[in-house]
Amino acid sequence: MAKIRIHELAKQMGLTSKEIIKSLNDQGIIVNNHFSSIEDQHVNRVKTAFKSKQDAQSQIMREEIKKHDPVQVAEKKPEGERRDRPDRPPRPEGERRARPDRPPRPEGERRDRPDRPPRPEGERR
C-alpha cells in the first residue's frame, strides 16, 4: 500500500491541511500534523467525506442562484450622455484659471536641470 502525506493530499484536493487533519481525527484516525503519512484506505475516506460536503454546498449554491435573477442587465446610456453627479458641481467652461500658489510656466525650450554639471564618464564594464 502506498502512503501519502497530508499536505500533499490537501494540495491535490484544494483544501487546507487543518481541514483534513480535523476530518481524520473525527473519523478516529490519529494524525499529528501536516507531515504525517496516511494509507490509501484513509485517503479514500477523506475524499468521500469532502466530496459529500462539496456536493451539499454546491446544491445550496445552485438553489441560491435560482432564487435571484440570473443576470441583471443594466440599461446602457447613449454615448455622450454623462451621468449626473449631485455631489459635484459642473466643471466651468473655458480656460482654466492659473493657481495663485504656483508661478506660471516659462514658455520656450525646456532645459534639463541647468544647475547640475553632467555626470562624469567612467569606465564601464
Side-chain angles (χ1 to χ4, degrees), residues 41-59:
Q41 62 189 23
H42 302 304
V43 171
N44 292 336
R45 281 187 185 178
V46 170
K47 285 184 178 181
T48 55
F50 279 102
K51 185 175 182 188
S52 63
K53 287 181 183 177
Q54 288 175 348
D55 289 343
Q57 288 177 348
S58 63
Q59 181 64 28

Side-chain angles (χ1 to χ4, degrees), residues 3 5 10 19 27-28 41 43 56-57 64 69-70 74-75 79 81 93 99 108 110 112 116-117 120:
K3 291 186 174 187
R5 304 246 182 225
E19 292 172 324
Q27 294 176 17
Q41 62 189 23
V43 171
Q57 288 177 348
E64 286 293 321
D69 292 336
E75 290 182 28
E79 287 187 36
E81 188 177 322
E93 301 275 332
R99 291 180 58 181
R110 289 181 67 181
D112 291 315
R116 291 186 180 176

Side-chain angles (χ1 to χ4, degrees), residues 71-82:
V71 178
Q72 293 180 357
V73 180
E75 290 182 28
K76 290 187 177 182
K77 293 187 176 188
E79 287 187 36
E81 188 177 322
R82 296 182 80 181

Side-chain angles (χ1 to χ4, degrees), residues 102-113:
R102 289 188 185 171
R105 269 199 175 154
E107 295 291 326
E109 191 175 316
R110 289 181 67 181
R111 288 192 284 168
D112 291 315
R113 301 181 188 226

